[in-house]
Short mmCIF file of all heavy atoms in Angstrom, two decimals:
data_model
loop_
_atom_site.label_atom_id
_atom_site.label_comp_id
_atom_site.label_asym_id
_atom_site.label_seq_id
_atom_site.Cartn_x
_atom_site.Cartn_y
_atom_site.Cartn_z
N MET D 1 9.49 15.62 20.55
CA MET D 1 10.92 15.48 20.34
C MET D 1 11.22 15.69 18.86
O MET D 1 10.53 15.17 18.00
CB MET D 1 11.37 14.09 20.78
CG MET D 1 12.77 13.75 20.38
SD MET D 1 13.51 12.19 20.96
CE MET D 1 12.23 11.01 20.84
N ARG D 2 12.26 16.47 18.58
CA ARG D 2 12.68 16.72 17.21
C ARG D 2 13.87 15.84 16.88
O ARG D 2 14.77 15.67 17.70
CB ARG D 2 13.04 18.18 17.03
CG ARG D 2 13.45 18.49 15.59
CD ARG D 2 13.67 19.96 15.37
NE ARG D 2 12.40 20.63 15.29
CZ ARG D 2 12.12 21.79 15.88
NH1 ARG D 2 13.02 22.41 16.59
NH2 ARG D 2 10.94 22.34 15.75
N LEU D 3 13.89 15.28 15.67
CA LEU D 3 14.96 14.40 15.20
C LEU D 3 15.39 14.84 13.81
O LEU D 3 14.57 15.34 13.04
CB LEU D 3 14.47 12.96 15.12
CG LEU D 3 13.89 12.34 16.37
CD1 LEU D 3 13.02 11.15 16.02
CD2 LEU D 3 15.00 11.93 17.30
N ILE D 4 16.65 14.60 13.49
CA ILE D 4 17.17 14.82 12.14
C ILE D 4 17.69 13.48 11.64
O ILE D 4 18.48 12.82 12.32
CB ILE D 4 18.31 15.85 12.11
CG1 ILE D 4 17.87 17.19 12.70
CG2 ILE D 4 18.86 16.02 10.70
CD1 ILE D 4 16.79 17.90 11.92
N VAL D 5 17.24 13.08 10.45
CA VAL D 5 17.73 11.83 9.86
C VAL D 5 19.15 12.07 9.37
O VAL D 5 19.38 12.90 8.48
CB VAL D 5 16.82 11.35 8.71
CG1 VAL D 5 17.39 10.09 8.07
CG2 VAL D 5 15.40 11.11 9.20
N ASP D 6 20.10 11.37 9.97
CA ASP D 6 21.50 11.49 9.58
C ASP D 6 21.78 10.66 8.34
O ASP D 6 22.46 11.10 7.42
CB ASP D 6 22.40 11.05 10.73
CG ASP D 6 23.87 11.17 10.40
OD1 ASP D 6 24.30 12.30 10.14
OD2 ASP D 6 24.56 10.13 10.39
N ARG D 7 21.23 9.44 8.33
CA ARG D 7 21.45 8.54 7.19
C ARG D 7 20.45 7.39 7.26
O ARG D 7 19.83 7.16 8.29
CB ARG D 7 22.88 8.01 7.17
CG ARG D 7 23.25 7.17 8.38
CD ARG D 7 24.74 6.87 8.44
NE ARG D 7 25.08 6.11 9.62
CZ ARG D 7 25.29 6.60 10.83
NH1 ARG D 7 25.18 7.90 11.03
NH2 ARG D 7 25.62 5.82 11.84
N ILE D 8 20.35 6.68 6.15
CA ILE D 8 19.54 5.47 6.08
C ILE D 8 20.51 4.30 5.99
O ILE D 8 21.39 4.28 5.14
CB ILE D 8 18.61 5.48 4.84
CG1 ILE D 8 17.74 6.75 4.80
CG2 ILE D 8 17.77 4.21 4.78
CD1 ILE D 8 16.76 6.89 5.94
N GLU D 9 20.36 3.35 6.90
CA GLU D 9 21.19 2.14 6.89
C GLU D 9 20.28 0.93 6.93
O GLU D 9 19.49 0.79 7.87
CB GLU D 9 22.11 2.11 8.11
CG GLU D 9 23.28 3.04 8.03
CD GLU D 9 24.25 2.83 9.18
OE1 GLU D 9 24.02 1.98 10.04
OE2 GLU D 9 25.26 3.56 9.20
N SER D 10 20.40 0.11 5.90
CA SER D 10 19.58 -1.09 5.81
C SER D 10 18.11 -0.70 5.93
O SER D 10 17.61 0.04 5.10
CB SER D 10 20.02 -2.10 6.87
OG SER D 10 19.40 -3.33 6.67
N ASN D 11 17.42 -1.15 6.94
CA ASN D 11 16.00 -0.84 7.11
C ASN D 11 15.75 0.14 8.26
O ASN D 11 14.68 0.13 8.85
CB ASN D 11 15.21 -2.13 7.36
CG ASN D 11 15.19 -3.01 6.13
OD1 ASN D 11 15.10 -2.52 5.02
ND2 ASN D 11 15.27 -4.32 6.33
N PHE D 12 16.76 0.98 8.55
CA PHE D 12 16.65 1.91 9.66
C PHE D 12 17.00 3.33 9.23
O PHE D 12 17.86 3.54 8.39
CB PHE D 12 17.62 1.52 10.80
CG PHE D 12 17.24 0.25 11.49
CD1 PHE D 12 17.73 -0.96 11.04
CD2 PHE D 12 16.39 0.27 12.58
CE1 PHE D 12 17.38 -2.14 11.67
CE2 PHE D 12 16.03 -0.90 13.22
CZ PHE D 12 16.52 -2.12 12.76
N ALA D 13 16.33 4.29 9.86
CA ALA D 13 16.72 5.68 9.76
C ALA D 13 17.56 5.96 11.00
O ALA D 13 17.10 5.78 12.13
CB ALA D 13 15.49 6.59 9.73
N VAL D 14 18.80 6.35 10.79
CA VAL D 14 19.69 6.69 11.91
C VAL D 14 19.49 8.18 12.15
O VAL D 14 19.81 9.02 11.29
CB VAL D 14 21.16 6.37 11.58
CG1 VAL D 14 22.06 6.74 12.72
CG2 VAL D 14 21.31 4.89 11.21
N CYS D 15 18.93 8.51 13.32
CA CYS D 15 18.53 9.89 13.61
C CYS D 15 19.30 10.46 14.79
O CYS D 15 19.65 9.74 15.72
CB CYS D 15 17.04 9.93 13.94
SG CYS D 15 15.99 9.29 12.63
N GLU D 16 19.50 11.77 14.74
CA GLU D 16 20.10 12.47 15.86
C GLU D 16 19.01 13.26 16.56
O GLU D 16 18.29 14.03 15.93
CB GLU D 16 21.19 13.41 15.36
CG GLU D 16 21.93 14.11 16.48
CD GLU D 16 23.05 14.98 15.97
OE1 GLU D 16 23.89 14.48 15.19
OE2 GLU D 16 23.08 16.16 16.36
N ALA D 17 18.89 13.07 17.86
CA ALA D 17 17.90 13.77 18.66
C ALA D 17 18.46 15.12 19.11
O ALA D 17 19.65 15.40 18.96
CB ALA D 17 17.51 12.93 19.86
N GLU D 18 17.60 15.95 19.68
CA GLU D 18 18.01 17.27 20.14
C GLU D 18 19.11 17.21 21.19
O GLU D 18 19.94 18.12 21.27
CB GLU D 18 16.80 18.02 20.71
CG GLU D 18 15.78 18.36 19.64
CD GLU D 18 14.50 18.90 20.22
OE1 GLU D 18 13.84 18.17 20.98
OE2 GLU D 18 14.16 20.05 19.90
N ASP D 19 19.15 16.15 21.97
CA ASP D 19 20.17 16.01 23.01
C ASP D 19 21.45 15.36 22.48
O ASP D 19 22.31 14.95 23.25
CB ASP D 19 19.63 15.22 24.21
CG ASP D 19 19.30 13.77 23.87
OD1 ASP D 19 19.47 13.35 22.70
OD2 ASP D 19 18.85 13.05 24.79
N MET D 20 21.54 15.25 21.15
CA MET D 20 22.69 14.69 20.44
C MET D 20 22.80 13.18 20.53
O MET D 20 23.79 12.59 20.10
CB MET D 20 24.01 15.34 20.90
CG MET D 20 24.02 16.86 20.83
SD MET D 20 23.81 17.49 19.17
CE MET D 20 25.45 17.32 18.56
N SER D 21 21.82 12.51 21.11
CA SER D 21 21.83 11.04 21.13
C SER D 21 21.43 10.52 19.75
O SER D 21 20.80 11.22 18.96
CB SER D 21 20.86 10.51 22.20
OG SER D 21 19.54 10.90 21.91
N VAL D 22 21.82 9.30 19.47
CA VAL D 22 21.53 8.67 18.18
C VAL D 22 20.46 7.60 18.40
O VAL D 22 20.56 6.78 19.32
CB VAL D 22 22.80 8.05 17.56
CG1 VAL D 22 22.48 7.31 16.28
CG2 VAL D 22 23.83 9.14 17.31
N ILE D 23 19.44 7.64 17.54
CA ILE D 23 18.33 6.70 17.64
C ILE D 23 18.14 6.02 16.30
O ILE D 23 18.08 6.69 15.26
CB ILE D 23 17.03 7.44 18.03
CG1 ILE D 23 17.21 8.18 19.36
CG2 ILE D 23 15.86 6.49 18.09
CD1 ILE D 23 16.09 9.12 19.69
N ASN D 24 18.07 4.70 16.29
CA ASN D 24 17.79 3.94 15.08
C ASN D 24 16.30 3.62 15.04
O ASN D 24 15.79 2.96 15.94
CB ASN D 24 18.60 2.63 15.06
CG ASN D 24 20.08 2.89 14.96
OD1 ASN D 24 20.51 3.82 14.30
ND2 ASN D 24 20.86 2.08 15.63
N ILE D 25 15.63 4.08 14.00
CA ILE D 25 14.19 3.89 13.89
C ILE D 25 13.92 3.03 12.65
O ILE D 25 14.35 3.39 11.55
CB ILE D 25 13.46 5.24 13.76
CG1 ILE D 25 13.82 6.15 14.94
CG2 ILE D 25 11.96 5.02 13.67
CD1 ILE D 25 13.38 7.58 14.77
N PRO D 26 13.20 1.93 12.81
CA PRO D 26 12.87 1.10 11.65
C PRO D 26 12.06 1.92 10.63
O PRO D 26 11.16 2.69 11.00
CB PRO D 26 12.00 -0.02 12.23
CG PRO D 26 12.31 -0.04 13.69
CD PRO D 26 12.66 1.37 14.06
N LEU D 27 12.41 1.78 9.37
CA LEU D 27 11.70 2.51 8.31
C LEU D 27 10.21 2.17 8.30
O LEU D 27 9.39 2.98 7.87
CB LEU D 27 12.33 2.23 6.95
CG LEU D 27 13.74 2.79 6.76
CD1 LEU D 27 14.29 2.36 5.39
CD2 LEU D 27 13.77 4.29 6.90
N SER D 28 9.86 1.00 8.80
CA SER D 28 8.45 0.59 8.84
C SER D 28 7.63 1.46 9.78
O SER D 28 6.40 1.44 9.73
CB SER D 28 8.34 -0.87 9.25
OG SER D 28 8.91 -1.08 10.54
N GLU D 29 8.29 2.25 10.64
CA GLU D 29 7.59 3.16 11.56
C GLU D 29 7.01 4.38 10.84
O GLU D 29 6.17 5.08 11.39
CB GLU D 29 8.54 3.64 12.66
CG GLU D 29 9.00 2.57 13.60
CD GLU D 29 7.92 2.18 14.60
OE1 GLU D 29 7.24 3.08 15.11
OE2 GLU D 29 7.78 0.98 14.84
N PHE D 30 7.49 4.66 9.63
CA PHE D 30 7.09 5.86 8.91
C PHE D 30 6.03 5.54 7.86
O PHE D 30 6.16 4.57 7.12
CB PHE D 30 8.30 6.51 8.23
CG PHE D 30 9.42 6.83 9.18
CD1 PHE D 30 10.57 6.06 9.21
CD2 PHE D 30 9.31 7.88 10.07
CE1 PHE D 30 11.61 6.35 10.08
CE2 PHE D 30 10.34 8.17 10.96
CZ PHE D 30 11.48 7.41 10.96
N SER D 31 5.04 6.41 7.78
CA SER D 31 4.01 6.26 6.74
C SER D 31 4.32 7.16 5.55
O SER D 31 3.48 7.38 4.69
CB SER D 31 2.64 6.62 7.32
OG SER D 31 2.63 7.97 7.77
N PHE D 32 5.55 7.69 5.52
CA PHE D 32 6.00 8.59 4.46
C PHE D 32 7.47 8.30 4.21
O PHE D 32 8.12 7.61 5.00
CB PHE D 32 5.80 10.06 4.88
CG PHE D 32 6.34 10.37 6.25
CD1 PHE D 32 7.67 10.75 6.42
CD2 PHE D 32 5.53 10.25 7.37
CE1 PHE D 32 8.16 11.02 7.68
CE2 PHE D 32 6.03 10.52 8.64
CZ PHE D 32 7.34 10.91 8.80
N GLU D 33 8.00 8.83 3.13
CA GLU D 33 9.40 8.61 2.79
C GLU D 33 10.30 9.51 3.63
O GLU D 33 10.04 10.70 3.77
CB GLU D 33 9.65 8.90 1.30
CG GLU D 33 11.05 8.61 0.86
CD GLU D 33 11.26 8.86 -0.62
OE1 GLU D 33 10.28 9.13 -1.33
OE2 GLU D 33 12.42 8.79 -1.05
N VAL D 34 11.33 8.93 4.22
CA VAL D 34 12.32 9.71 4.95
C VAL D 34 13.62 9.69 4.16
O VAL D 34 13.87 8.78 3.38
CB VAL D 34 12.54 9.19 6.39
CG1 VAL D 34 11.31 9.39 7.23
CG2 VAL D 34 12.98 7.76 6.42
N TYR D 35 14.44 10.70 4.38
CA TYR D 35 15.67 10.85 3.62
C TYR D 35 16.69 11.57 4.49
O TYR D 35 16.34 12.16 5.52
CB TYR D 35 15.41 11.64 2.33
CG TYR D 35 14.55 12.86 2.57
CD1 TYR D 35 15.14 14.07 2.92
CD2 TYR D 35 13.17 12.78 2.49
CE1 TYR D 35 14.36 15.18 3.18
CE2 TYR D 35 12.38 13.89 2.75
CZ TYR D 35 12.99 15.08 3.09
OH TYR D 35 12.22 16.19 3.36
N GLU D 36 17.93 11.54 4.07
CA GLU D 36 19.01 12.20 4.78
C GLU D 36 18.68 13.68 4.94
O GLU D 36 18.33 14.36 3.98
CB GLU D 36 20.29 12.06 3.95
CG GLU D 36 21.53 11.83 4.75
CD GLU D 36 22.70 11.53 3.85
OE1 GLU D 36 23.36 12.47 3.41
OE2 GLU D 36 22.92 10.33 3.59
N GLY D 37 18.77 14.18 6.17
CA GLY D 37 18.49 15.59 6.42
C GLY D 37 17.04 15.89 6.76
O GLY D 37 16.70 17.01 7.11
N CYS D 38 16.20 14.89 6.67
CA CYS D 38 14.77 15.05 6.96
C CYS D 38 14.60 15.42 8.44
O CYS D 38 15.18 14.79 9.31
CB CYS D 38 14.05 13.74 6.64
SG CYS D 38 12.27 13.78 6.80
N ALA D 39 13.81 16.46 8.71
CA ALA D 39 13.53 16.87 10.08
C ALA D 39 12.21 16.24 10.51
O ALA D 39 11.19 16.37 9.82
CB ALA D 39 13.44 18.39 10.17
N LEU D 40 12.23 15.55 11.63
CA LEU D 40 11.05 14.85 12.11
C LEU D 40 10.64 15.35 13.49
O LEU D 40 11.46 15.84 14.25
CB LEU D 40 11.35 13.35 12.23
CG LEU D 40 11.85 12.62 10.99
CD1 LEU D 40 12.30 11.22 11.37
CD2 LEU D 40 10.76 12.58 9.95
N ILE D 41 9.37 15.20 13.77
CA ILE D 41 8.84 15.44 15.10
C ILE D 41 8.17 14.15 15.54
O ILE D 41 7.43 13.53 14.78
CB ILE D 41 7.80 16.58 15.10
CG1 ILE D 41 8.44 17.90 14.72
CG2 ILE D 41 7.13 16.69 16.47
CD1 ILE D 41 7.46 19.04 14.60
N PHE D 42 8.48 13.74 16.78
CA PHE D 42 7.82 12.58 17.36
C PHE D 42 6.92 13.10 18.46
O PHE D 42 7.37 13.70 19.44
CB PHE D 42 8.84 11.59 17.93
CG PHE D 42 8.23 10.35 18.50
CD1 PHE D 42 7.65 9.41 17.66
CD2 PHE D 42 8.21 10.12 19.86
CE1 PHE D 42 7.08 8.26 18.17
CE2 PHE D 42 7.64 8.97 20.39
CZ PHE D 42 7.07 8.05 19.54
N ASP D 43 5.61 12.92 18.29
CA ASP D 43 4.63 13.44 19.24
C ASP D 43 3.44 12.49 19.31
O ASP D 43 2.94 12.06 18.26
CB ASP D 43 4.18 14.83 18.81
CG ASP D 43 3.36 15.55 19.86
OD1 ASP D 43 3.61 15.35 21.06
OD2 ASP D 43 2.45 16.31 19.47
N ASN D 44 3.02 12.17 20.49
CA ASN D 44 1.88 11.28 20.71
C ASN D 44 2.02 9.95 19.98
O ASN D 44 1.07 9.43 19.40
CB ASN D 44 0.57 11.95 20.31
CG ASN D 44 0.20 13.10 21.23
OD1 ASN D 44 0.46 13.04 22.43
ND2 ASN D 44 -0.38 14.14 20.67
N GLY D 45 3.25 9.42 19.96
CA GLY D 45 3.49 8.12 19.36
C GLY D 45 3.54 8.10 17.85
O GLY D 45 3.58 7.03 17.24
N LYS D 46 3.56 9.28 17.22
CA LYS D 46 3.60 9.36 15.75
C LYS D 46 4.72 10.27 15.28
O LYS D 46 5.07 11.24 15.95
CB LYS D 46 2.27 9.91 15.21
CG LYS D 46 1.11 8.97 15.37
CD LYS D 46 -0.09 9.52 14.64
CE LYS D 46 -1.20 8.50 14.66
NZ LYS D 46 -2.30 8.91 13.80
N TYR D 47 5.25 9.93 14.11
CA TYR D 47 6.27 10.75 13.47
C TYR D 47 5.62 11.61 12.39
O TYR D 47 4.70 11.16 11.70
CB TYR D 47 7.34 9.87 12.81
CG TYR D 47 8.16 9.09 13.79
CD1 TYR D 47 7.85 7.77 14.08
CD2 TYR D 47 9.25 9.68 14.44
CE1 TYR D 47 8.61 7.04 14.99
CE2 TYR D 47 10.01 8.95 15.34
CZ TYR D 47 9.67 7.64 15.61
OH TYR D 47 10.42 6.93 16.51
N SER D 48 6.12 12.83 12.25
CA SER D 48 5.70 13.69 11.15
C SER D 48 6.91 14.51 10.70
O SER D 48 7.89 14.64 11.43
CB SER D 48 4.55 14.61 11.57
OG SER D 48 4.94 15.43 12.64
N VAL D 49 6.83 15.07 9.50
CA VAL D 49 7.91 15.89 8.97
C VAL D 49 7.70 17.32 9.43
O VAL D 49 6.59 17.85 9.37
CB VAL D 49 7.94 15.82 7.42
CG1 VAL D 49 9.01 16.76 6.86
CG2 VAL D 49 8.19 14.40 6.95
N ASP D 50 8.76 17.94 9.90
CA ASP D 50 8.73 19.36 10.29
C ASP D 50 9.33 20.15 9.12
O ASP D 50 10.51 20.46 9.10
CB ASP D 50 9.53 19.57 11.58
CG ASP D 50 9.39 20.97 12.14
OD1 ASP D 50 8.96 21.88 11.40
OD2 ASP D 50 9.72 21.16 13.32
N GLU D 51 8.49 20.45 8.14
CA GLU D 51 8.95 21.09 6.91
C GLU D 51 9.53 22.48 7.15
O GLU D 51 10.52 22.86 6.53
CB GLU D 51 7.83 21.13 5.89
CG GLU D 51 7.42 19.76 5.40
CD GLU D 51 6.24 19.78 4.45
OE1 GLU D 51 5.79 20.87 4.05
OE2 GLU D 51 5.77 18.69 4.10
N GLU D 52 8.92 23.24 8.04
CA GLU D 52 9.40 24.60 8.31
C GLU D 52 10.79 24.58 8.94
O GLU D 52 11.69 25.31 8.52
CB GLU D 52 8.42 25.33 9.23
CG GLU D 52 8.80 26.77 9.48
CD GLU D 52 7.78 27.49 10.33
OE1 GLU D 52 6.61 27.07 10.40
OE2 GLU D 52 8.18 28.50 10.93
N TYR D 53 10.98 23.72 9.93
CA TYR D 53 12.28 23.60 10.58
C TYR D 53 13.33 23.12 9.58
O TYR D 53 14.45 23.64 9.53
CB TYR D 53 12.21 22.65 11.77
CG TYR D 53 13.52 22.48 12.49
CD1 TYR D 53 13.99 23.46 13.35
CD2 TYR D 53 14.30 21.34 12.30
CE1 TYR D 53 15.21 23.32 14.01
CE2 TYR D 53 15.52 21.20 12.95
CZ TYR D 53 15.96 22.18 13.80
OH TYR D 53 17.18 22.04 14.43
N GLU D 54 12.97 22.15 8.77
CA GLU D 54 13.90 21.61 7.77
C GLU D 54 14.31 22.69 6.77
O GLU D 54 15.49 22.84 6.44
CB GLU D 54 13.25 20.44 7.04
CG GLU D 54 14.17 19.74 6.07
CD GLU D 54 13.53 18.53 5.43
OE1 GLU D 54 12.73 17.84 6.09
OE2 GLU D 54 13.82 18.29 4.25
N SER D 55 13.36 23.48 6.32
CA SER D 55 13.65 24.55 5.37
C SER D 55 14.57 25.61 6.00
O SER D 55 15.55 26.04 5.38
CB SER D 55 12.34 25.19 4.91
OG SER D 55 12.59 26.26 4.05
N ASP D 56 14.27 26.01 7.23
CA ASP D 56 15.11 26.99 7.93
C ASP D 56 16.52 26.45 8.14
O ASP D 56 17.51 27.16 7.95
CB ASP D 56 14.51 27.35 9.28
CG ASP D 56 13.25 28.19 9.17
OD1 ASP D 56 12.97 28.72 8.08
OD2 ASP D 56 12.54 28.29 10.19
N ARG D 57 16.61 25.19 8.51
CA ARG D 57 17.91 24.56 8.76
C ARG D 57 18.74 24.51 7.48
O ARG D 57 19.93 24.82 7.48
CB ARG D 57 17.67 23.15 9.31
CG ARG D 57 18.90 22.42 9.73
CD ARG D 57 18.51 21.11 10.45
NE ARG D 57 19.68 20.34 10.74
CZ ARG D 57 20.22 19.46 9.92
NH1 ARG D 57 19.68 19.20 8.76
NH2 ARG D 57 21.30 18.79 10.27
N ARG D 58 18.11 24.13 6.37
CA ARG D 58 18.82 24.08 5.09
C ARG D 58 19.31 25.47 4.67
O ARG D 58 20.42 25.62 4.16
CB ARG D 58 17.94 23.48 4.01
CG ARG D 58 17.77 21.98 4.14
CD ARG D 58 17.01 21.41 2.95
NE ARG D 58 16.67 20.03 3.16
CZ ARG D 58 17.48 19.01 2.94
NH1 ARG D 58 18.71 19.24 2.49
NH2 ARG D 58 17.10 17.78 3.16
N ALA D 59 18.48 26.49 4.87
CA ALA D 59 18.86 27.86 4.51
C ALA D 59 20.06 28.31 5.33
O ALA D 59 20.99 28.94 4.80
CB ALA D 59 17.68 28.80 4.72
N LYS D 60 20.07 28.01 6.63
CA LYS D 60 21.20 28.39 7.48
C LYS D 60 22.47 27.65 7.08
O LYS D 60 23.55 28.25 7.04
CB LYS D 60 20.87 28.11 8.94
CG LYS D 60 19.87 29.08 9.52
CD LYS D 60 19.51 28.71 10.93
CE LYS D 60 18.42 29.66 11.45
NZ LYS D 60 17.93 29.28 12.78
N LEU D 61 22.35 26.37 6.76
CA LEU D 61 23.52 25.60 6.34
C LEU D 61 24.06 26.10 5.00
O LEU D 61 25.27 26.19 4.80
CB LEU D 61 23.18 24.11 6.26
CG LEU D 61 22.95 23.42 7.59
CD1 LEU D 61 22.42 22.01 7.37
CD2 LEU D 61 24.21 23.40 8.42
N PHE D 62 23.16 26.47 4.09
CA PHE D 62 23.56 26.99 2.79
C PHE D 62 24.28 28.33 2.96
O PHE D 62 25.31 28.57 2.34
CB PHE D 62 22.34 27.14 1.88
CG PHE D 62 22.66 27.55 0.48
CD1 PHE D 62 23.29 26.67 -0.40
CD2 PHE D 62 22.35 28.82 0.03
CE1 PHE D 62 23.60 27.05 -1.69
CE2 PHE D 62 22.66 29.20 -1.27
CZ PHE D 62 23.28 28.32 -2.13
N ALA D 63 23.75 29.20 3.83
CA ALA D 63 24.39 30.49 4.09
C ALA D 63 25.76 30.30 4.71
O ALA D 63 26.73 31.00 4.35
CB ALA D 63 23.49 31.34 5.00
N LEU D 64 25.89 29.35 5.64
CA LEU D 64 27.18 29.06 6.25
C LEU D 64 28.17 28.57 5.21
O LEU D 64 29.33 29.02 5.16
CB LEU D 64 27.02 28.03 7.37
CG LEU D 64 28.30 27.57 8.05
CD1 LEU D 64 29.00 28.74 8.74
CD2 LEU D 64 27.99 26.48 9.06
N GLN D 65 27.72 27.67 4.35
CA GLN D 65 28.58 27.13 3.29
C GLN D 65 29.06 28.27 2.38
O GLN D 65 30.24 28.34 2.05
CB GLN D 65 27.82 26.09 2.48
CG GLN D 65 28.62 25.50 1.35
CD GLN D 65 27.79 24.48 0.56
OE1 GLN D 65 26.69 24.14 0.93
NE2 GLN D 65 28.35 24.04 -0.54
N ASN D 66 28.15 29.15 2.01
CA ASN D 66 28.53 30.27 1.15
C ASN D 66 29.52 31.20 1.83
O ASN D 66 30.44 31.70 1.19
CB ASN D 66 27.29 31.05 0.71
CG ASN D 66 26.53 30.35 -0.39
OD1 ASN D 66 27.07 29.48 -1.07
ND2 ASN D 66 25.28 30.71 -0.56
N SER D 67 29.34 31.44 3.12
CA SER D 67 30.27 32.35 3.83
C SER D 67 31.66 31.73 3.93
O SER D 67 32.65 32.46 3.94
CB SER D 67 29.72 32.68 5.22
OG SER D 67 29.81 31.57 6.08
N ILE D 68 31.74 30.43 3.99
CA ILE D 68 33.04 29.75 4.09
C ILE D 68 33.77 29.78 2.73
O ILE D 68 34.95 30.06 2.66
CB ILE D 68 32.88 28.32 4.57
CG1 ILE D 68 32.41 28.30 6.03
CG2 ILE D 68 34.17 27.51 4.41
CD1 ILE D 68 32.00 26.95 6.55
N PHE D 69 33.04 29.49 1.66
CA PHE D 69 33.69 29.33 0.35
C PHE D 69 33.71 30.60 -0.49
O PHE D 69 34.36 30.64 -1.53
CB PHE D 69 33.02 28.20 -0.43
CG PHE D 69 33.26 26.85 0.20
CD1 PHE D 69 32.23 26.17 0.83
CD2 PHE D 69 34.53 26.30 0.19
CE1 PHE D 69 32.45 24.94 1.42
CE2 PHE D 69 34.75 25.06 0.78
CZ PHE D 69 33.72 24.38 1.40
N ASP D 70 33.02 31.66 -0.07
CA ASP D 70 33.03 32.90 -0.83
C ASP D 70 33.98 33.93 -0.24
O ASP D 70 33.76 35.12 -0.33
CB ASP D 70 31.61 33.50 -0.88
CG ASP D 70 30.68 32.72 -1.81
OD1 ASP D 70 31.20 31.93 -2.62
OD2 ASP D 70 29.47 32.91 -1.71
N GLU D 71 35.05 33.47 0.34
CA GLU D 71 36.02 34.38 0.95
C GLU D 71 36.90 34.99 -0.10
O GLU D 71 37.32 34.51 -1.04
CB GLU D 71 36.86 33.65 1.98
CG GLU D 71 36.01 33.22 3.17
CD GLU D 71 36.84 32.55 4.24
OE1 GLU D 71 37.44 33.29 5.02
OE2 GLU D 71 36.88 31.32 4.26
#
């Protein structure tokens, strides 16, 4: 399952799943630092960062932003 960290609230990462549901995950579940926009994969009971997906997603969002404001 792929998740995107929407925000950090208190001791939770508020994440959006692929099906658009919202999941609150305790920060203690991560063995690494999570941040807003972080792309995660949950597989076999463990979380990991999906760096390639995150990079592609940021590039697409940046291109969209540029197309909107460079009119």
Side-chain angles (χ1 to χ4, degrees):
M1 169 175 40
R2 182 174 284 137
L3 304 160
I4 303 295
V5 177
D6 181 61
R7 62 190 179 278
I8 306 296
E9 285 187 0
S10 189
N11 292 323
F12 291 90
V14 179
C15 302
E16 184 177 308
E18 293 171 298
D19 65 359
M20 306 298 279
S21 62
V22 176
I23 301 170
N24 294 324
I25 304 169
L27 293 176
S28 60
E29 294 284 319
F30 304 106
S31 61
F32 50 88
E33 184 178 353
V34 294
Y35 46 88
E36 218 173 88
C38 185
L40 304 171
I41 295 176
F42 182 70
D43 190 33
N44 292 324
K46 291 188 173 188
Y47 294 97
S48 60
V49 176
D50 187 343
E51 293 176 7
E52 184 177 338
Y53 180 77
E54 185 176 325
S55 178
D56 289 346
R57 185 172 174 272
R58 286 186 188 277
K60 287 176 184 175
L61 290 172
F62 185 71
L64 176 62
Q65 179 181 353
N66 282 341
S67 72
I68 292 170
F69 293 109
D70 287 344
E71 293 183 82

